[in-house]
Amino acid sequence: MKVLISGGGTGGHIFPALSIANALRRRDPNTEILFVGADNRMEMERVPAAGYQIVGLPVAGFVRRKLWRNIPVLYKLWKSMNLAGKVLRDFKPDIAIGVGGYASGPMLKRAQKAGIPTLIQEQNSYAGVTNKLLAKNAGAICVAYDNMDRFFPADKITMTGNPVRADILDCNVSKEDAKKELGFDPNRPLVVMVGGSLGARAMNDAMKVALRPIVDAGASVLWQSGKNYADECAEAAKGVENAIATPFISRMDLVYKAADILVSRAGASTISEIQLVGIPSILIPSPNVAEDHQRKNALALVEKDAAVMIPDSECNQELAPAVIGLLKDPEARERLAVNAAKMGLKNADEKIVDKIYELLKK
């Protein structure tokens, strides 16, 4: 079987794509898999590092507010459509899977025109424009939230959940040992803030204000600043006992085990991980994403009392009170964790592979 997997741009697209590829290989080690991503995006490094071949397209996102800047974007799209056609002719896939991101649009559009079965994996609670356009001719659409028939034909939808990194679910370390491995006192509650690989300005500025009050309330803090803000955040944490600022966290499996409260953006993969590990969280949705989908992801949890949400514009004032409030209320933390876990959908990667095989049998 030959499978083409297209998309990327962020970890939220890449991690599910790799999880699907790994599940396909577990099912049949002889499966040939080719990834198609966008040139100069993170998938061009992450996918080869995971042992898979990838082809890059020169596609870029549309500039919505300055339409005149889209002339070069349209040229890149035309060029990408032509290259996508060449990929199909050379690789001859049996099925094409789109996980979202710039490259999935031209690649799946070409595949559909060529009569190749396509499957869409929509991670968010609010569907992206590209996936909505592709849905009509898709063979199946795998989703992680209820009520997605607002965007897609109901008869094509399968509720699978989002695939997550296997190491997060397979970590068998105790909470105390996880804290020790991360360099923290196992007897203090641990607050972890994760702002993404590049970092988030508003979140980092808020933690500069909140750090000392949170530590004085009896907690330790692991502050993942992102590489763009590494120096200034390290300086802000300097001399604060029980606090570590780092640009990157390599062992998120340990973090989920160790954390008593997670402060995070509301990307689809992070939400799925929060649900599957059952952890109390404070979500600060990014305002800089298409269709405001992170706020909608966060609301899906807030409406079920499974997370706390702070608007990005208010996190400077609200972060410390929200964290300290949860630190003082173990019952609230437990309630958020239990309700988040109730929303978790396990074995999403295997369910998606089942759907792939079902499509191919048709």
Side-chain angles (χ1 to χ4, degrees):
M1 184 165 70
K2 289 186 169 187
V3 180
L4 190 151
I5 302 177
S6 181
T10 66
H13 295 310
I14 296 165
F15 294 134
L18 290 171
S19 295
I20 294 167
N22 292 337
L24 282 163
R25 282 274 171 87
R26 286 196 302 272
R27 191 78 59 96
D28 179 1
N30 295 316
T31 302
E32 288 186 52
I33 298 170
L34 177 67
F35 280 79
V36 177
D39 278 340
N40 302 316
R41 302 293 290 188
M42 62 190 294
E43 60 263 30
M44 301 307 293
E45 294 179 10
R46 296 288 178 89
V47 170
Y52 295 100
Q53 184 184 354
I54 186 166
V55 174
L57 302 181
V59 66
F62 280 93
V63 183
R64 299 183 184 212
R65 291 179 184 172
K66 297 178 181 178
L67 296 179
W68 65 89
R69 291 177 58 184
N70 286 311
I71 293 172
V73 175
L74 289 169
Y75 172 71
K76 288 179 179 179
L77 178 60
W78 173 80
K79 194 173 178 183
S80 296
M81 291 290 284
N82 289 335
L83 283 170
K86 184 177 186 304
V87 169
L88 292 178
R89 291 191 297 273
D90 292 346
F91 185 61
K92 298 180 175 63
D94 296 298
I95 189 167
I97 300 162
V99 296
Y102 298 144
S104 66
M107 195 66 251
L108 260 70
K109 191 70 177 171
R110 272 291 190 182
Q112 289 176 346
K113 280 192 171 184
I116 295 164
T118 58
L119 179 145
I120 295 169
Q121 201 262 319
E122 173 58 66
Q123 293 107 26
N124 293 295
S125 62
Y126 194 91
V129 173
T130 300
N131 281 349
K132 284 190 278 190
L133 292 172
L134 292 168
K136 182 183 174 184
N137 295 313
I141 303 161
C142 296
V143 302
Y145 292 91
D146 294 326
N147 304 316
M148 295 303 285
D149 53 357
R150 292 174 294 160
F151 312 108
F152 304 130
D155 60 334
K156 294 185 179 184
I157 294 173
T158 300
M159 176 71 83
T160 59
N162 287 325
V164 302
R165 293 168 280 187
D167 60 332
I168 287 169
L169 302 178
D170 296 340
C171 185
N172 295 315
V173 178
S174 70
K175 194 176 198 70
E176 291 72 23
D177 287 343
K179 286 180 182 178
K180 285 179 189 174
E181 282 199 52
L182 292 169
F184 293 99
D185 181 345
N187 298 311
R188 291 174 70 95
L190 177 63
V191 176
V192 179
M193 188 174 83
V194 181
S197 57
L198 297 178
R201 165 58 70 192
M203 290 177 67
N204 284 327
D205 286 348
M207 185 52 83
K208 289 174 190 175
V209 175
L211 183 62
R212 182 68 70 177
I214 291 171
V215 171
D216 288 347
S220 302
V221 175
L222 177 56
W223 176 4
Q224 187 261 317
S225 64
K227 67 179 184 181
N228 287 354
Y229 306 97
D231 293 341
E232 63 186 79
C233 295
E235 185 63 30
K238 199 173 179 180
V240 181
E241 273 192 70
N242 300 300
I244 297 173
T246 178
F248 181 72
I249 298 172
S250 59
R251 292 293 305 274
M252 280 303 294
D253 57 330
L254 288 179
V255 165
Y256 280 119
K257 276 288 181 180
D260 293 277
I261 299 171
L262 180 73
V263 181
S264 174
R265 288 301 198 195
S269 286
T270 301
I271 295 274
S272 294
E273 289 165 357
I274 286 168
Q275 292 169 336
L276 287 167
V277 299
I279 187 170
S281 62
I282 296 172
L283 302 172
I284 304 172
S286 170
N288 306 311
V289 294
E291 284 89 34
D292 196 23
H293 68 253
Q294 285 205 7
R295 186 180 65 85
K296 289 157 187 167
N297 289 347
L299 281 172
L301 272 72
V302 171
E303 286 165 359
K304 296 192 176 180
D305 197 18
V308 173
M309 183 176 77
I310 301 174
D312 186 82
S313 60
E314 297 174 19
C315 63
N316 230 35
Q317 298 79 33
E318 298 297 328
L319 180 59
V323 170
I324 293 167
L326 284 180
L327 286 171
K328 291 179 177 177
D329 192 346
E331 288 183 6
R333 295 204 306 271
E334 178 66 16
R335 188 177 67 250
L336 293 176
V338 168
N339 289 339
K342 286 178 184 174
M343 297 177 73
L345 295 168
K346 296 180 180 178
N347 305 315
D349 52 355
E350 295 293 339
K351 292 174 187 172
I352 292 167
V353 171
D354 287 342
K355 201 69 192 173
I356 290 168
Y357 275 82
E358 186 184 313
L359 270 183
L360 288 172
K361 281 180 183 175
K362 285 182 183 177

